[in-house]
Amino acid sequence: MIRIRRIYDDVHPRDRAVLAQVRDILRTQFPGLPEETVAALPDQLRNPLAAQFRTILFAADDGQGTVRGFALLRHAADLRFCYLDFISAVRGGTGGGVGGALYQQVRAEARALDCVGIFMESLPDDPALSPDPDTRRQNAARLRFYERFGVRPLANTAYETPLRPGDSNPPYLLFDDLGLDRPLPRATARAIVRAILERRYAGVCPPEYVQRVVASISDDPVRLREPRYTRKEEVPVEAPARPIALVVNEGHAIHHVKERGYVEAPVRISAILRSLDASGLFQRLPAARYPESAITAVHDPAYVRYLKRVCQGLAAADSVYPYVFPIRNAARPPRDLAIQAGYYCIDTFTPLNGNAFAAARGAVDCALTAADRVLAGAWLAYALVRPPGHHAERRAFGGFCYFNSAAVAAHALAAHGPVAVLDVDYHHGNGQQDIFWTRDDVFTVSIHGNPAFAYPYFSGFRDERGSGSGAGCNLNLPLPEHVDGSRYLRELRQALGAVREFAPRFLVVALGLDPARADPTGTWSLERADFRANGEAIGALGLPTLVVQEGGYRTRTLGGHARAFFTGLWHGAHAARAAVP
């Protein structure tokens, strides 16, 4: 399995290891590249203003840490274009689709940055410019690859003029309009070509050479060479804006507790999906399967084994509720598995049944799949799952929750940089607080009903701030019984200020829609416009964001509130990204 993710810097050991492999590929695949160019890559990632380009690196690995290819993109925000500096697979690895997957990722990034297009260089397939037949065949193969995406050389310009007369294989300048079929104005092209020659080749191209090449661009709009390797109808046309990656727990309905009053029902997912499908903001993706070790990384292995064993021994329609809580002598558990539930549960209304483990495991897979999309460079991803997870602690279930999907995803993301988990459910996110209580790489924030009157009652107080290395890395904002949208937004802005101060690389949002008016599990009165405002405020952080579905039980309004939240989140995120220099 090939996984693509964005590398932001070399701060974390895992990213340093990836960068070292990328630099080795550069040395191998581009042997004429000066060593100082290879060595400069980490500094270029850390310094977004280096050479007036922001450097964006995508690495494709095999899921085990071995890099199979990479793409290095330069973004010039002032002229709204991207320049693809390098794209390469490891030697012998080009046939596995790595190059195509990387280029698709590059295109998605350029579209999301609202660029006029991507420019890149490729060696010529013209015998007059490339006299050696073997070299020319390799050049033609590369041009054929790009032409599949609608990318072609600029026509009728002097860009391929050799710096030294008589040199062979001077590069074409290629242009990708990102499938938007927009003309490239001459003035725009001239400014971009000048920027490429002066910034990318600073100190190499003499001023008179730059001026000659720029002046040779005479067509308005600029013409591209006619296709040589593909038919026009074979070129993919893609949407201009990056959608929200959506991963749905398709098997959630196997977990259906039909007892009266059990509001965590399958209809919740369909109610949300109906509204989201009409928004046009989402791209649906299938969930991948992840090892059980991803769950035991945050949950006690003995607890996970117990859930698995007891659920496998129950019929789908049978539910076991804990009714004995042996706090006095935990060293001598009863033999009966059903009675043992009291060791691991925090309430009397969250049952175990034949499908609870499988459904919760599927929710974790969805959250991790969405997290991998964020690692690949997605700005926004949404794991639409049930059962929820934010009440599941390291060794306890409750509140309809069995595995803490948001915490599992946050732990996976934390291997690549600090993470903030923002819980906006009506009820306290006791699960994340418990799991990350002593860690300083994950900052947990929860806005919730005061535990004096709201479940889970025993946690969520303001003075709970973490301990050990995690001291100060937990923030609780308990609110009174009656809260409207304006009061909630004030508290949310306080929470977001704390997140900014922590300066995470990634944000995980535990999304509860139960702060809504008339939700059967809450007492607050947020309306659709409030959810949109909240989403926009969160998106304005400009962080790569994973949203994991938690509560929300009034199905009549659930879909509209979800759509409002994500509309605000999308607009807030894109406005924040557009403001980045």
Side-chain angles (χ1 to χ4, degrees):
M1 179 185 73
I2 294 297
R3 179 185 65 176
I4 298 175
R5 65 185 183 89
R6 182 171 172 180
I7 307 300
Y8 290 86
D9 53 40
D10 61 347
V11 172
H12 289 266
R14 187 174 297 188
D15 292 339
R16 281 199 296 274
V18 170
L19 271 171
Q21 294 181 70
V22 167
R23 291 158 77 183
D24 285 344
I25 297 171
L26 276 170
R27 295 184 184 100
T28 302
Q29 300 289 67
F30 305 93
L33 200 63
E35 179 58 30
E36 56 265 29
T37 301
V38 178
L41 180 55
D43 185 62
Q44 291 170 349
L45 289 171
R46 289 191 299 264
N47 178 10
L49 299 179
Q52 296 177 278
F53 283 118
R54 184 161 62 103
T55 299
I56 300 169
L57 174 64
F58 294 106
D61 66 41
D62 61 1
Q64 304 299 316
T66 301
V67 176
R68 310 303 302 171
F70 75 94
L72 190 64
L73 190 67
R74 316 286 188 179
H75 175 226
D78 56 337
L79 296 175
R80 291 181 50 238
F81 79 94
C82 280
Y83 177 79
L84 181 60
D85 210 343
F86 297 99
I87 183 168
S88 179
V90 295
R91 194 175 298 279
T94 55
V98 174
L102 282 165
Y103 192 65
Q104 290 280 24
Q105 189 72 45
V106 164
R107 293 189 97 205
E109 185 71 19
R111 288 195 304 273
L113 291 168
D114 195 27
C115 289
V116 298
I118 303 172
F119 292 80
M120 68 205 76
E121 293 181 348
S122 189
L123 300 183
D125 56 358
D126 183 344
L129 299 173
S130 181
D132 180 70
D134 290 336
T135 301
R136 194 164 63 251
R137 275 194 296 272
Q138 295 175 20
N139 298 349
R142 196 168 294 112
L143 288 164
R144 183 182 299 111
F145 167 82
Y146 287 121
E147 199 171 284
R148 287 168 37 212
F149 298 94
V151 186
R152 289 176 282 146
L154 270 62
N156 195 28
T157 79
Y159 193 91
E160 54 269 25
T161 302
L163 270 173
R164 292 183 297 271
D167 282 356
S168 63
N169 285 293
Y172 293 142
L173 183 65
L174 280 57
F175 176 62
D176 182 354
D177 73 352
L178 307 175
L180 302 179
D181 199 25
R182 293 185 301 203
L184 178 63
R186 177 177 60 199
T188 300
R190 283 182 168 182
I192 289 173
V193 167
R194 181 179 294 280
I196 292 171
L197 295 177
E198 292 179 347
R199 300 178 191 181
R200 174 64 178 81
Y201 295 102
V204 175
C205 296
E208 59 273 14
Y209 176 90
V210 174
Q211 184 56 38
R212 184 165 69 250
V213 172
V214 170
S216 74
I217 304 172
S218 57
D219 295 324
D220 193 13
V222 173
R223 290 192 298 114
L224 303 182
R225 190 177 81 175
E226 289 299 314
R228 292 185 181 179
Y229 305 106
T230 60
R231 296 187 301 272
K232 185 174 182 179
E233 59 268 21
E234 295 175 332
V235 175
V237 177
E238 301 181 54
R242 174 178 294 173
I244 302 170
L246 171 62
V247 188
V248 181
N249 186 8
E250 301 289 0
H252 72 92
I254 62 172
H255 177 62
H256 189 186
V257 180
K258 298 182 180 180
E259 279 95 340
R260 182 184 296 275
Y262 197 86
V263 295
E264 206 289 286
V267 68
R268 299 175 59 236
I269 300 300
S270 57
I272 292 174
L273 271 180
R274 279 195 302 271
S275 189
L276 297 190
D277 285 344
S279 72
L281 292 176
F282 294 85
Q283 179 186 21
R284 192 93 166 254
L285 301 171
R289 187 70 166 171
Y290 293 81
E292 205 167 284
S293 58
I295 299 174
T296 56
V298 303
H299 287 294
D300 187 310
Y303 162 68
V304 176
R305 288 194 299 271
Y306 170 75
L307 278 188
K308 187 175 186 179
R309 184 181 173 198
V310 71
C311 290
Q312 287 176 344
L314 293 169
D318 294 338
S319 291
V320 170
Y321 290 86
Y323 62 95
V324 175
F325 297 86
I327 62 172
R328 294 189 178 185
N329 193 354
R332 302 184 67 178
R335 293 182 180 180
D336 190 291
L337 289 177
I339 298 175
Q340 282 185 37
Y343 276 102
Y344 298 110
C345 193
I346 63 174
D347 59 43
T348 59
F349 58 81
T350 302
L352 296 175
N353 57 48
N355 288 322
F357 180 90
R361 172 87 188 265
V364 168
D365 285 339
C366 290
L368 287 171
T369 302
D372 271 345
R373 293 306 306 152
V374 170
L375 286 174
W379 295 354
L380 304 172
Y382 177 31
L384 176 53
V385 300
R386 60 170 296 274
H390 75 139
H391 292 309
E393 299 181 350
R394 176 163 173 76
R395 64 176 309 276
F397 68 97
F400 312 140
C401 304
Y402 304 95
F403 294 139
N404 197 316
S405 301
V408 174
H411 174 78
L413 290 170
H416 306 280
V419 178
V421 181
L422 173 64
D423 194 312
V424 293
D425 192 277
Y426 174 83
H427 307 91
H428 177 232
N430 59 289
Q432 296 91 256
Q433 175 173 301
D434 174 72
I435 289 167
F436 298 115
W437 183 249
T438 61
R439 288 175 56 169
D440 62 1
D441 59 337
V442 179
F443 181 59
T444 49
V445 189
S446 180
I447 308 171
H448 52 266
N450 195 301
F453 63 84
Y455 183 91
Y457 306 109
F458 58 79
S459 68
F461 300 95
R462 286 186 183 272
D463 59 358
E464 296 168 351
R465 300 287 291 159
S467 68
S469 296
C473 292
N474 185 77
L475 174 63
N476 287 324
L477 297 173
L479 302 184
E481 192 167 359
H482 300 291
V483 170
D484 62 11
S486 60
R487 169 66 189 277
Y488 189 93
L489 186 58
R490 289 199 303 272
E491 298 291 334
L492 176 61
R493 294 194 190 283
Q494 180 182 341
L496 297 178
V499 170
R500 286 191 185 91
E501 186 175 345
F502 181 72
R505 177 172 291 176
F506 306 104
L507 176 68
V508 176
V509 178
L511 175 63
L513 297 170
D514 42 6
R517 181 184 298 277
D519 187 277
T521 68
T523 60
W524 295 344
S525 57
L526 273 64
E527 304 282 4
R528 186 174 301 190
D530 301 316
F531 283 102
R532 173 161 181 155
N534 295 342
E536 194 160 354
I538 294 169
L541 286 173
L543 291 170
T545 299
L546 164 64
V547 180
V548 180
Q549 187 60 49
E550 299 294 349
Y553 304 100
R554 188 172 190 255
T555 55
R556 286 177 55 192
T557 57
L558 198 56
H561 291 156
R563 179 171 174 174
F565 174 84
F566 282 104
T567 300
L569 184 72
W570 190 92
H571 283 285
H574 279 67
R577 294 283 178 152
V580 174

